[in-house]
Amino acid sequence: MAHPPMQPLELLEWEELSLKENPIDESSVKKLLSLADRHKQRLKSAEQVLTKTTTPGLKAGPVVGFLSVPGVSIEILPKISGETYDVRQALVHMIATAFQLPISTSDLAAMSAQHRDLLEILIGVFANRLREASRRGLPHRYRQREEDLPLLRGKLNSSRQMLLHVTRADRLACQFDELSVDTPLNRVLKATVKLLQNLVRRSSNERLLNELSARFDLVSDSFRPLQEPVRLDRTNTLFHHIYQFARLFLTGNWQNTTAGSMPGIALLFKMNDLFELFVGQSIKRAIGANFVTLQCRSEFALQDRREGIFNLRPDIIVNGHIVVDTKWKVLSKEDDRLLGVSQSDVYQMLAYSQAYDATRLVLLYPWHEKLGEPGIHRRWTVSGTDVPFEIASVDVSKYADVPHALGELLG
């Protein structure tokens, strides 16, 4: 695939990129729209990822990330307060937190200063984490080998010996286990490094990927890395989250997967899902993973004698009985009484309250300036009970402070 242009075009979720001010040839527009449509299906999104408008322009849906085809790249950023530089930093931190890639504020600042676009920053995050994990050595496993040797190694394969070497005392059909780095996990990581080597533009990232590529010399290539039978266990713990991030890059790759398809890559996130994951992992950091359950599936709206019907899956449950549901929506200060909270969201929370015997309900939104200070904005009680129902917000632009803020919010 050809390298993307040096500077991607910037776009905010739900906003439009003018094709008059940013001329893109019709062929590239079609490739971008086809790529976006493929990822709409992957994300199982009800909304379009990217649409062409009559103005003419390209309008983003409720997603963030980037799309790139030969000759043009588009970077879609979330609608949060701050300059583009700060918004990009906040988005990278949200992605790193959601997928549990350890990253410090200083690391992020250094990467953002050096790489002014999302793709290069994410490549840097992935490559740095992989280098740190692989410094102790790549994950390895024993694999069974058969070889004809002059001296016995392991055990003798008697049937093979009788078939091939019955008259030769200098050849023994050996069967033994050998420690190898040529594992499914390493083949996936190698495939990701090779993919990113074709996309990278910044020299520092290029050097880092070349260094990583050399570490995978003894690992064979994989033609279907997403189908590799990877097994994650305690022997490769350091690589668990790196593997999940590698799959995101590989899933985003679009190299002639169907007849007539155009090469390209996209790494896109539904903003509502990303916000939920970011908040959930931040709460875990604040109060401890053992006290937090994400996407709990234990209760149902209805029950018959044999099974539950209509699974109820709140985003986050804290301490067993505090139900937190995240909404990537803008609270409206103009609706002073309800802040624009939808009736359906309230009904959903009431169902969670009943099923999970909740002692507190929290609908959590992204903060914006018109709300005043982040935190709790409205507190009601569920009718007929003393269970508090709260509308709250968190400032994701101050990403380093989010775990502490959520810890205080949840008491």
Side-chain angles (χ1 to χ4, degrees):
M1 172 179 168
H3 287 192
M6 286 302 294
Q7 191 61 41
L9 301 171
E10 294 170 5
L11 180 61
L12 292 177
E13 54 172 331
W14 290 119
E15 293 202 350
E16 186 175 330
L17 178 77
S18 170
L19 293 178
K20 292 180 179 178
E21 297 175 12
N22 302 277
I24 305 173
D25 65 81
E26 189 60 30
S27 173
S28 295
V29 169
K30 287 181 179 178
K31 292 174 187 176
L32 284 169
L33 292 173
S34 295
L35 182 60
D37 187 60
R38 178 174 183 266
H39 284 272
K40 173 183 181 290
Q41 299 171 40
R42 181 182 67 81
L43 293 169
K44 298 178 181 177
S45 173
E47 304 283 351
Q48 291 292 334
V49 168
L50 196 69
T51 53
K52 187 177 180 182
T53 63
T54 56
T55 37
L58 291 173
K59 185 177 180 180
V63 298
V64 292
F66 64 86
L67 302 103
S68 181
V69 296
V72 62
S73 293
I74 292 180
E75 183 178 274
I76 306 173
L77 300 176
K79 275 189 173 181
I80 56 178
S81 302
E83 299 296 323
T84 301
Y85 173 87
D86 299 319
V87 171
R88 192 179 290 116
Q89 270 198 329
L91 175 57
V92 173
H93 189 89
M94 290 178 74
I95 294 170
T97 300
F99 293 95
Q100 301 177 67
L101 288 170
I103 184 170
S104 69
T105 305
S106 58
D107 285 342
L108 185 56
M111 285 183 218
S112 295
Q114 187 178 16
H115 310 311
R116 295 285 181 156
D117 65 82
L118 185 61
L119 175 57
E120 288 292 332
I121 296 173
L122 292 175
I123 289 175
V125 170
F126 172 81
N128 275 288
R129 297 291 79 83
L130 180 55
R131 179 174 63 175
E132 288 177 14
S134 61
R135 276 175 174 164
R136 302 185 189 182
L138 294 177
H140 49 262
R141 290 193 185 281
Y142 283 100
R143 65 175 183 177
Q144 193 174 85
R145 283 193 58 189
E146 291 188 354
E147 194 170 340
D148 300 331
L149 301 172
L151 297 174
L152 183 64
R153 180 179 178 184
K155 63 181 181 180
L156 184 70
N157 185 334
S158 54
S159 59
R160 179 179 170 85
Q161 183 71 26
M162 292 294 293
L163 182 65
L164 299 179
H165 307 306
V166 66
T167 61
R168 296 192 58 177
D170 63 332
R171 273 287 175 264
L172 298 174
C174 300
Q175 193 174 64
F176 55 92
D177 290 333
E178 183 179 64
L179 202 60
S180 172
V181 295
D182 192 10
T183 67
L185 172 58
N186 287 335
R187 290 195 287 272
V188 171
L189 297 176
K190 180 178 181 177
T192 309
V193 170
K194 289 181 68 175
L195 168 66
L196 298 182
Q197 282 181 304
N198 290 328
L199 297 171
V200 70
R201 298 184 304 271
R202 305 294 180 180
S203 58
S204 57
N205 276 346
E206 188 172 10
R207 286 193 299 271
L208 184 51
L209 290 169
N210 289 339
E211 176 191 331
L212 287 169
S213 181
R215 296 188 186 190
F216 287 90
D217 276 346
L218 298 178
V219 178
S220 59
D221 292 330
S222 175
F223 296 102
R224 294 180 177 271
L226 290 172
Q227 277 73 54
E228 288 283 354
V230 174
R231 189 171 73 196
L232 300 177
D233 54 33
R234 61 183 179 83
T235 68
N236 51 34
T237 304
L238 287 174
F239 295 83
H240 288 192
H241 302 304
I242 297 171
Y243 165 70
Q244 299 297 343
F245 207 60
R247 283 187 61 88
L248 286 175
F249 280 114
L250 293 169
T251 303
N253 188 24
W254 192 28
Q255 292 288 344
N256 298 318
T257 53
T258 58
S261 67
M262 298 297 180
I265 187 168
L267 192 58
L268 297 168
F269 306 88
K270 287 167 68 175
M271 199 57 223
N272 201 56
D273 293 349
L274 181 61
F275 182 52
E276 176 191 328
L277 279 171
F278 170 65
V279 169
Q281 294 300 337
S282 296
I283 294 174
K284 282 187 174 183
R285 289 187 183 184
I287 67 175
N290 291 337
F291 301 100
V292 181
T293 304
L294 307 183
Q295 282 284 314
C296 188
R297 297 169 178 260
S298 62
E299 303 299 334
F300 295 83
L302 302 174
Q303 196 81 30
D304 67 12
R305 292 180 181 179
R306 290 172 294 180
E307 62 180 358
I309 304 170
F310 299 125
N311 194 217
L312 294 172
R313 291 180 292 177
D315 294 342
I316 304 158
I317 295 183
V318 181
N319 289 331
H321 294 287
I322 300 175
V323 175
V324 181
D325 222 45
T326 60
K327 302 294 177 185
W328 186 258
K329 300 176 182 177
V330 178
L331 286 174
S332 174
K333 192 63 178 174
E334 296 174 4
D335 181 0
D336 192 55
R337 181 163 172 257
L338 301 177
L339 296 179
V341 174
S342 76
Q343 192 174 58
S344 61
D345 289 342
V346 172
Y347 286 166
Q348 185 181 47
M349 291 295 279
L350 294 178
Y352 293 157
S353 176
Q354 175 72 22
Y356 288 90
D357 193 22
T359 58
R360 184 181 175 191
L361 302 171
V362 181
L363 270 177
L364 188 67
Y365 295 78
W367 175 83
H368 59 85
E369 296 93 333
K370 293 181 180 179
L371 293 172
E373 291 296 315
I376 297 172
H377 303 289
R378 295 289 183 274
R379 180 182 282 114
W380 306 303
T381 56
V382 177
S383 295
T385 75
D386 58 359
V387 175
F389 189 124
E390 297 164 338
I391 307 302
S393 70
V394 62
D395 185 358
V396 297
S397 69
K398 297 180 179 177
Y399 44 85
D401 300 331
V402 167
H404 177 72
L406 290 172
E408 287 199 332
L409 176 70
L410 297 171

